[in-house]
Amino acid sequence: MRVAWTSGLCLALMMVASQAGAQDRDDKRSLADLQAAADKGETRAEVTLGEIYLEGRGADRDYARALGLFQKAADAGDPAGVQDIGFVYEHGLGVPVDTVKAKTLYEQAAAAGNTDAMLTLGHMYLWGRGVTQDYAVAMSWYQKAADHGSFAALANLGYMAAKGQGEPKDLVKGLDLMHKAVDGGYWPAAVEIGDAYLHGTGVGKDEGEALKWYRKAADAGDAGGMLAVGRCYLTGTGIAKDVKAALDWLERSADQGSVYAMMDLAHIYERADAVAADPVQVAKWYQKASDAGNAEASEKLAHAYLDGTGVAKDEARAVALFRQGAEAGRAESENMYGLLLMDGRGGLKADDAEAFKWYQKAADQGHVDGEFNTGFCYRNGRGVAKDPATAATWFRKAAAVGDADAEIALGDLYSDGDGFEKNPERAVGYYLLAAQQGNATAQNAVGYMFQNGEGVTKDVPTAVKWYKQAAAGGDAGAMLNLGYLDLYGDDKWPQDFGGARDWLQKSADAGNTEAFYYLGLIYFEGDGVPVDFVKARGLFEKGAAGGSAWSQYYLGVLYHQGKGVAKDEVKAFGLMQQSADQGNAWAQTQLGFMYHHAVGTTADDAKALDYYKKAAAQGDETALENLGDMYLNGDGVTEDDAAGFGWYKKAAEAGDDDAEITVATLYLTGKGTTLDAAEGMKWLEKVAGADDPEAWGELGDLYRDGNGVTADYVKAHDFYLKAADRGDAYSQYRLGEMCENAMGVPQDYVGALMWYLIAAGNDNDDAKAAVARLRQAMSGGDIGRAQSRAGAFKPEPNPAGGAK
C-alpha cells in the first residue's frame, strides 16, 4: 500500500484537496474576485489566491507573491496562512529550505486548530522529513487531525496500521480506516483499497474488485483513481486491454495534476510497446511533469532538448535543466552537466576542472557513467592531475556492474601500460568481458590481441573470427583490420587483394577515413590491380579530407612527383605540412627536405633541422641520416662531425643498412669518433651478412673507392655481383663499369655491355647511356653475344618473392 501524497509537490496538491470546502479556502470565485477580496483583507481569499500563485494553478507561478499573501493572512490571525508559510519554508519555494522554521509554524497553526498543519506534521514524523522519524508522534498528529474531521488523516492511520508502523500490523484495521475515509469522501483511500484487492493484501486477490474501487475514486474526480484505471486498461488488469481508454484515463489524471500519469504517458509514447513512438508526445508529457516539479522528467526533457528529439534542439535549455538537476543533487544531471562543461556546449565555456567536479559528484553517488567519466579524467589528466592508478579504481567500480566501456578502458590501461602496470593477459580478460556482451569495440580489441599474440597465443584465424563479429556489429575499425590482413597477409593468413578491397570499402562506407588511405595505397603500389595514380589520388583525397595523416602524405607525394595529377610542389608542401602537424614522421622528414632544398617553399635550414629532429625523435631512419649529413658536411648548420656521427649511429642502431656503412666508414677514418678499425669492420660485417642488395652495392662502392678501407676491387666486385644477382640495377651498372675499365677483372666489353643492358632493363639511366655509347664502339657480333647473355640472365628471387 502507499500513502496518497509523498513528494513536495504532491503535498501541495494534498493541501488543496484536504482544504476544499473548508472555511479558510475559497475556490469558487474567479481570480479577479479573489484579488478584490484579498485587497479588502479577506483572509480566505488571501490564502486561496496565495495557493494559486504557489502552484501555478490558473495563474503564473509566483512564490514571492504567494508568500506575501500568506503572510497577510497570518498577520491577521488566520492559521491557514501560518500553515502555508510553513509549507513554503519546508520545501524551499522561493526561499531557502528551513524545516525547523516550518515545523514551528506548523505547530503554531495546529495549536490554532488548523487540520492541514496537524496532517503535515504527521507526514513529517512518518517519513522523517526534517525531523527524526517517529511513528508514535506521527500517529498522534494524524489522530488529532482525524479528531478535527480530517478523513485524509484517517486514511494515513489506516496506512500505518496496515504497515505495522507505530503499532502491531493489522490489515483489517487498516482497511476499516480506509473505508471510513472513503465514506467521508476522501477518495485517495479508495485507491488504497483497490491496491489491497489488486495484491491480495488483507483481502482475497481480486482484480475486478480492485478496478471497482479505482473507478469509484476516478468517478469522484480523484487523479489517483484515474491513474489506476488507466493502468488497468493499459495492462488488461480486471478488464479487457484497451490502449485508447488507457490513454484517455491517464490524460484525465494528468489534467488533474498527477505527475505519475504524466510520466506514464511519456513512457508509453517513448517505449512504443502499446502505441507508435511519438517523440513530440514524449516531450510534451515530460514538459508537463517537469513543470510540475518532477526531477526525472526534467532530466528526460533536457536530453530531448540536447538531441532535438520531439522538440527543437536547444542546448542552452538542456544546460539549464541539467544544471538545475545537478544543483539538486541528481547524479544523472551531475554527470550530464559535466559532459556539457567539458565539451563547452549550450553556451558554456569549456572547463575541464569544473566538469571533473560534477563527474566526481555523480560518481560518489554510484552513477556508472559518472564513475567512468571520473576515470577518464584521471587517465587523461583532464581537469585533474593524470593518475592512471586512480583512473583504474574508478573504471573498476563501473566495470563491477558490467559497464562495457569501463571494461574496455581497463583493457586499454593494461594493454598500453601508460604510467600503469602493463599486463596484456589482464587486458585480454577485460576486453573479453565486454566482447561477450556483444560490444563491437571490445570484439575488435580481442581480435587485435589474437592477431599480434598479446596476452594470448598468436592465432590469426581466431583474430579474424573476432574481427568479423565486430564488423557485423558495425565496427569500422574491425573492417579495416580485416582489410589490412587480406592486403598484407600473415604466416597463417594468405593475401587476398580482392577481399582487402571489399573490407576496406566497407570500412570507408562505415566512416573510417583511414580506409581510403589503404585503398589508395593498393592503386599506388599496384597490389592485385594495375598501378593507377589517378584512382589512388581520388582515394587519398577522400582520406585527406577526413583528416587521415597518411592520405595527406601520399597525396603530397603524388603532387611532388606529378603522378596522377599535374606536378605542384606548393600543394605537395601544404599536404606534407598537414600530415606532419599530426605527427607523421615520414611527412616531417619530407617537410625537412623541402625546407632544406626550397621545394615548394622558401629555404629555411632552421625549420628543416626542426622537422628532421621531430621525425628523428620518432625513430625515422631517413631523418636520422639527413641530420647526420647536415652536421658532417656543415650543410645548413655549423659543421660538427661528432654530432653527425651521433645521428648516424642512432640510424645504424635502428637497423638502417646505409647508416651502418657510414658508421663503419666513420670508425675506420676516425671522423667524428675515435678511430677504431675493429669496430668499423664489425659494422661492415653486419651489413655484409644482412639480406639487403642495395646495402651490398654500397659496400661495393666502399671497397672500390677505398673509403675508410684499403681499396679492393675483388671485394668490390664480389659485393656488386651478390647484389646484381638479386636484381639490384645500381650494382649491375657498376659491374659493367668494372668490366669496361678492367677494375679487378680483365677488360671485357661484351661482359660490360651485358651488365649495362641488364641494368638498363631495370631502368638505370646511367646504364642506358653506357649502352648507347658501347654500341657505337662494338662490332655487331660482340653486341649480339652481349644481348644473348643479357637475355639469359635470371635474377635470384628475394625472400619476399619476385625480383627486387
Side-chain angles (χ1 to χ4, degrees), residues 8 85-103 105-106 124 129-131 327-328:
I85 295 170
F87 184 85
V88 167
Y89 278 99
E90 181 188 358
H91 299 286
L93 304 177
V95 296
V97 172
D98 189 337
T99 54
V100 174
K101 185 172 184 177
K103 176 174 171 288
L105 289 163
Y106 288 147
M124 291 182 78
R129 196 170 55 239
V131 296
E327 290 175 342

Side-chain angles (χ1 to χ4, degrees), residues 2 51 115 172 211 236 253 262 289 321 325 400 443 488 504 528 546 568 581 654 676 800:
R2 66 176 188 276
E51 289 172 356
T115 306
V172 174
L211 179 61
S253 177
M262 298 171 194
L321 287 165
Q443 291 166 341
Y488 294 109
L504 291 170
D568 189 330
D581 288 347
D676 189 334

Side-chain angles (χ1 to χ4, degrees), residues 382-401:
R382 297 285 297 272
V384 66
K386 186 173 181 178
D387 186 342
T390 301
T393 298
W394 284 107
F395 288 146
R396 287 191 193 101
K397 287 177 183 286
V401 293

Side-chain angles (χ1 to χ4, degrees), residues 653-778:
E653 288 170 344
D656 185 272
D657 291 335
D658 290 340
E660 290 171 347
I661 294 171
T662 301
V663 166
T665 303
L666 293 173
Y667 272 121
L668 292 167
T669 60
K671 185 176 182 179
T673 186
T674 304
L675 180 67
D676 189 334
E679 186 68 14
M681 293 309 296
K682 185 179 78 173
W683 281 101
L684 288 180
E685 289 165 4
K686 184 175 185 296
V687 177
D691 189 16
D692 187 342
E694 290 182 9
W696 296 332
E698 294 286 340
L699 281 175
D701 285 348
L702 189 71
Y703 280 104
R704 185 194 67 172
D705 299 334
N707 187 12
V709 295
T710 302
D712 188 329
Y713 287 147
V714 173
K715 283 188 177 180
H717 184 275
D718 288 346
F719 279 116
Y720 286 143
L721 185 60
K722 187 177 180 181
D725 284 343
R726 287 284 292 277
D728 184 65
Y730 175 80
S731 294
Q732 291 162 350
Y733 167 72
R734 287 301 191 193
L735 284 171
E737 278 191 325
M738 296 191 85
C739 289
E740 182 182 1
N741 298 300
M743 300 169 70
V745 294
Q747 192 172 51
D748 180 358
Y749 288 111
V750 172
L753 182 58
M754 177 198 78
W755 282 115
Y756 287 149
L757 285 167
I758 293 169
N762 283 331
D763 209 27
N764 184 282
D765 291 335
D766 290 334
K768 291 176 184 177
V771 168
R773 177 170 47 77
L774 281 187
R775 280 180 183 276
Q776 298 296 320
M778 292 173 63

Side-chain angles (χ1 to χ4, degrees), residues 100-391:
V100 174
K101 185 172 184 177
K103 176 174 171 288
T104 300
L105 289 163
Y106 288 147
E107 288 171 343
Q108 180 184 333
N114 184 275
T115 306
D116 288 329
M118 300 172 194
L119 188 64
T120 302
L121 286 163
H123 293 328
M124 291 182 78
Y125 281 102
L126 176 63
W127 301 105
R129 196 170 55 239
V131 296
T132 302
Q133 188 177 47
D134 190 324
Y135 293 146
V137 176
M139 287 179 66
S140 71
W141 280 113
Y142 285 142
Q143 190 61 60
K144 286 179 182 179
D147 292 343
H148 278 72
S150 170
F151 292 104
L154 275 181
N156 279 283
L157 285 168
Y159 171 85
M160 293 186 75
K163 294 288 288 183
Q165 294 174 335
E167 62 178 316
K169 186 173 183 178
D170 189 334
L171 295 173
V172 174
K173 178 182 177 181
L175 282 171
D176 180 60
L177 288 167
M178 291 290 180
H179 279 282
K180 288 180 179 177
V182 171
D183 292 342
Y186 185 70
W187 294 106
V191 178
E192 296 295 337
I193 295 171
D195 285 349
Y197 279 105
L198 182 66
H199 301 295
T201 308
V203 292
K205 187 172 182 178
D206 188 329
E207 291 182 353
E209 188 69 12
L211 179 61
K212 182 183 80 174
W213 283 98
Y214 293 150
R215 275 195 180 278
K216 284 185 178 184
D219 291 341
D222 181 75
M226 297 172 188
L227 172 69
V229 172
R231 288 175 172 176
C232 285
Y233 273 113
L234 188 66
T235 59
T237 301
I239 197 169
K241 186 175 181 178
D242 186 335
V243 175
K244 186 174 181 299
L247 293 173
D248 178 61
W249 278 108
L250 290 171
E251 287 187 18
R252 288 168 66 182
S253 177
D255 290 342
Q256 290 291 317
S258 171
V259 177
Y260 296 114
M262 298 171 194
M263 294 296 285
D264 276 6
L265 286 161
H267 293 154
I268 288 168
Y269 286 108
E270 190 171 39
R271 289 193 297 261
D273 52 2
V275 296
D278 190 335
V280 174
Q281 286 290 325
V282 173
K284 166 189 166 183
W285 290 109
Y286 279 141
Q287 182 69 67
K288 287 180 178 289
S290 175
D291 290 343
N294 185 277
E296 179 190 350
S298 295
E299 284 177 343
K300 295 282 191 178
L301 191 62
H303 280 290
Y305 278 114
L306 189 63
D307 302 329
T309 305
V311 291
K313 188 171 183 176
D314 188 338
E315 290 192 350
R317 194 162 183 181
V319 164
L321 287 165
F322 281 132
R323 177 161 190 152
Q324 176 184 320
E327 290 175 342
R330 289 190 61 85
E332 170 67 10
S333 290
E334 290 168 342
N335 178 65
M336 287 303 302
Y337 187 54
L339 279 171
L340 295 171
L341 271 166
M342 182 162 279
D343 294 341
R345 294 173 64 182
L348 292 171
K349 181 181 179 182
D351 188 333
D352 286 355
E354 188 70 8
F356 170 75
K357 180 184 83 174
W358 290 104
Y359 289 151
Q360 183 81 68
K361 286 178 179 287
D364 288 341
Q365 294 192 62
H367 189 273
V368 175
D369 288 346
E371 291 169 342
F372 175 84
N373 287 330
T374 299
F376 170 87
C377 287
Y378 275 111
R379 184 183 181 192
N380 296 283
R382 297 285 297 272
V384 66
K386 186 173 181 178
D387 186 342
T390 301

Side-chain angles (χ1 to χ4, degrees), residues 300-645:
K300 295 282 191 178
L301 191 62
H303 280 290
Y305 278 114
L306 189 63
D307 302 329
T309 305
V311 291
K313 188 171 183 176
D314 188 338
E315 290 192 350
R317 194 162 183 181
V319 164
L321 287 165
F322 281 132
R323 177 161 190 152
Q324 176 184 320
E327 290 175 342
R330 289 190 61 85
E332 170 67 10
S333 290
E334 290 168 342
N335 178 65
M336 287 303 302
Y337 187 54
L339 279 171
L340 295 171
L341 271 166
M342 182 162 279
D343 294 341
R345 294 173 64 182
L348 292 171
K349 181 181 179 182
D351 188 333
D352 286 355
E354 188 70 8
F356 170 75
K357 180 184 83 174
W358 290 104
Y359 289 151
Q360 183 81 68
K361 286 178 179 287
D364 288 341
Q365 294 192 62
H367 189 273
V368 175
D369 288 346
E371 291 169 342
F372 175 84
N373 287 330
T374 299
F376 170 87
C377 287
Y378 275 111
R379 184 183 181 192
N380 296 283
R382 297 285 297 272
V384 66
K386 186 173 181 178
D387 186 342
T390 301
T393 298
W394 284 107
F395 288 146
R396 287 191 193 101
K397 287 177 183 286
V401 293
D403 184 78
D405 288 337
E407 290 164 346
I408 293 169
L410 284 165
D412 290 345
L413 275 173
Y414 282 111
S415 177
D416 299 341
D418 180 15
F420 192 74
E421 168 201 351
K422 187 165 185 173
N423 189 325
E425 290 78 12
R426 294 194 73 177
V428 171
Y430 278 112
Y431 287 145
L432 279 169
L433 286 174
Q436 287 159 0
Q437 294 186 59
N439 185 285
T441 300
Q443 291 166 341
N444 182 44
V446 172
Y448 178 86
M449 302 298 271
F450 273 104
Q451 180 186 345
N452 295 283
E454 294 187 15
V456 290
T457 302
K458 183 175 179 178
D459 187 336
V460 175
T462 298
V464 169
K465 182 193 77 172
W466 281 107
Y467 283 149
K468 286 185 175 179
Q469 285 188 45
D475 190 271
M479 300 171 195
L480 182 71
N481 288 335
L482 286 163
Y484 183 92
L485 266 175
D486 281 342
L487 181 60
Y488 294 109
D490 189 270
D491 56 351
K492 299 289 185 181
W493 197 257
Q495 280 183 305
D496 179 354
F497 293 132
R501 291 195 302 276
D502 288 344
W503 279 116
L504 291 170
Q505 188 61 58
K506 287 177 181 178
S507 181
D509 292 342
N512 190 317
T513 55
E514 204 63 31
F516 287 117
Y517 154 63
Y518 285 106
L519 284 167
L521 204 59
I522 286 173
Y523 289 98
F524 183 89
E525 296 183 340
D527 291 325
V529 294
V531 170
D532 189 330
F533 293 123
V534 174
K535 278 188 177 180
R537 186 197 76 204
L539 291 160
F540 289 146
E541 283 175 342
K542 289 181 179 179
S548 165
W550 280 110
S551 289
Q552 291 161 351
Y553 171 79
Y554 273 96
L555 189 57
V557 169
L558 290 175
Y559 274 106
H560 174 61
Q561 297 177 350
K563 291 180 177 178
V565 67
K567 186 169 183 174
D568 189 330
E569 296 289 15
V570 174
K571 279 190 177 178
F573 175 82
L575 287 159
M576 290 299 173
Q577 183 75 67
Q578 291 176 40
S579 182
D581 288 347
Q582 292 194 64
N584 186 300
W586 287 20
Q588 289 167 344
T589 297
Q590 183 64 23
L591 208 58
F593 175 86
M594 296 178 93
Y595 272 118
H596 191 44
H597 298 282
V599 178
T601 186
T602 305
D604 190 327
D605 288 331
K607 286 186 177 178
L609 196 67
D610 180 55
Y611 277 106
Y612 282 150
K613 285 183 176 179
K614 285 180 178 178
Q618 297 187 64
D620 186 82
E621 295 166 12
T622 302
L624 290 164
E625 285 190 75
N626 288 348
L627 285 166
D629 281 338
M630 288 181 77
Y631 281 103
L632 284 175
N633 300 312
D635 184 8
V637 294
T638 302
E639 185 173 340
D640 186 336
D641 291 345
F645 172 81

